[in-house]
Amino acid sequence: MGVLRKAQDEGKPAGRVPAIDLGATFTDLRQEILAAVERVLASGRYIGGPEVERLEREFAAFCDVPHAVAVSSGTDALRFALIAAGAGGGPRDEVITSPLTFIATTEAISQAGARTVFVDVDPESLTLDPGLVRKAITDRTAAIVPIHLYGQTADMGPILEMARPRALAVVEDACQAHGALYRGGAAGAGRSAGSLGDAGCFSFYPTKNLGGCGEGGMLTTARAEIAARARSLRDHGQSEKYIHAEEGYNGRLDALQAAILRVKLKRLSGWNARRRALAALYTERFKEMGLAGTALRLPVEKPWGTHVYHLYTVRVPIDVRDRVRAELLEKEIETGIHYPIPLHLQACYASLGLREGSFPVAERAAREVLSLPLFPEMTDAQVERVCEALRVVLGRG
Ligand SMILES: *Cc1c(COP(=O)(O)O)cnc(C)c1O
């Protein structure tokens, strides 16, 4: 595979391995980004305008959806999608989601006027377990929010099948899954994350697979009325200037971010391919080292899709995870934990009355997961260094 061996491998010291290197992305795209920034600054159009409209069209094409609405964050995309899909405020106000996600998902549910109903995740993919979703559906359920965690879509087929006859909205949290496919890979072309449910929600937070140089987000949908409502909500509920049919939010994307994101969007497919190649190299090396097993559980690529590896997240036994992480840091290898405390155990959700033991799969994952460095500019030599360090550190146990 051509992308496995990059020219960059030459001449870079295999020293510190950061979790991500945003400076390297800028260095690679410096000319184009500076030209885009200059163009916007000279245009005098700083909020909305042609750059934002072009990004919307280009991102809609990327996801193969009719509508894309640029907003100021992934959180706003989720909030507007849930409001537009009618999840809050009515007699049906329960929204089913996973506790193993970033809190933005459930903040958006609450802020849309709905109530979060957590269900546990599949032990391999750590995405919503469709069987448990089915059991959690009541006549108060308004929507389901699957999280495409770490860059792999949730198992959308069964979720959509149970949602459709009950008229439940499905809002995809695709904030980690720009370009991920469902029913992709060998099975065929697949459909993009964000084009599967009633709406898809993306974040352009700098560390995401497509990230700006600030905050940003996008809502994708095939439903014209959801797109129209989101356009109104992001702009103070305005249909025309100073005409307000409803109250909205200040949730627009700025033109500088849009222009920068347009430069980066052209690279996204190549970056995702590189992420997949790096993930494959990690997996291959760990297997060769004989490490893959109970001491080191590798990410599972489900047959239902194409993973875009926002994160390469392994699992190590609970009693060694924090030691492993600390010793890797001593070797100047940065790792992350996504996420250390499942949301149902957070103080802000104490009123839900859930406790340790409520969602054993998510709870266990929270104590075992470890995200290794992964970013498109990472070299093969850096992957080798992480693998070697992990072998040494695990061997000490
Ligand atoms: C990043 C992220 C969000 C929130 O996106 P922001 O742009 O930071 O508001 C929501 N859900 C998940 C799963 C995320 O990773």
Side-chain angles (χ1 to χ4, degrees), residues 81-101:
L82 286 161
I83 295 172
R92 300 207 311 187
D93 64 351
E94 292 178 355
V95 176
I96 294 172
T97 196
S98 150
L100 195 66
T101 178

Side-chain angles (χ1 to χ4, degrees), residues 238-259:
Q238 294 190 104
S239 48
E240 311 161 41
K241 199 165 175 72
Y242 304 134
I243 306 296
H244 306 269
E246 65 173 337
E247 283 185 348
Y249 298 83
N250 181 344
R252 297 165 303 229
L253 185 69
D254 68 79
L256 281 172
Q257 295 312 321

Side-chain angles (χ1 to χ4, degrees), residues 198-332:
D198 294 274
C201 304
F202 293 86
S203 166
F204 300 136
Y205 189 79
T207 57
K208 307 289 167 135
N209 287 32
L210 177 62
C213 299
E215 306 277 359
M218 190 74 81
L219 184 158
T220 53
T221 183
R223 289 177 53 186
E225 76 282 11
I226 289 184
R229 187 81 187 281
R231 285 184 198 287
S232 162
L233 287 167
R234 75 173 172 186
D235 194 22
H236 301 284
Q238 294 190 104
S239 48
E240 311 161 41
K241 199 165 175 72
Y242 304 134
I243 306 296
H244 306 269
E246 65 173 337
E247 283 185 348
Y249 298 83
N250 181 344
R252 297 165 303 229
L253 185 69
D254 68 79
L256 281 172
Q257 295 312 321
I260 293 169
L261 286 161
R262 289 183 64 217
V263 172
K264 293 186 165 193
L265 178 57
K266 289 188 234 147
R267 306 304 203 289
L268 181 55
S269 295
W271 284 335
N272 282 345
R274 177 68 186 153
R275 285 176 180 275
R276 287 181 52 74
L278 290 163
L281 183 59
Y282 266 127
T283 294
E284 182 193 310
R285 293 296 293 125
F286 287 136
K287 286 185 175 162
E288 279 168 14
M289 289 173 163
L291 280 182
T294 44
L296 182 68
R297 285 166 61 201
L298 305 181
V300 179
E301 278 192 30
K302 288 294 198 173
W304 65 62
T306 303
H307 200 316
V308 290
Y309 287 97
H310 172 56
L311 295 165
Y312 187 88
T313 302
V314 298
R315 296 172 68 173
V316 294
I318 289 172
D319 50 328
V320 305
R321 200 259 316 263
D322 295 343
R323 174 185 67 78
V324 165
R325 185 165 193 233
E327 291 184 14
L328 287 174
L329 195 58
E330 275 169 27
K331 294 176 179 292
E332 295 190 291

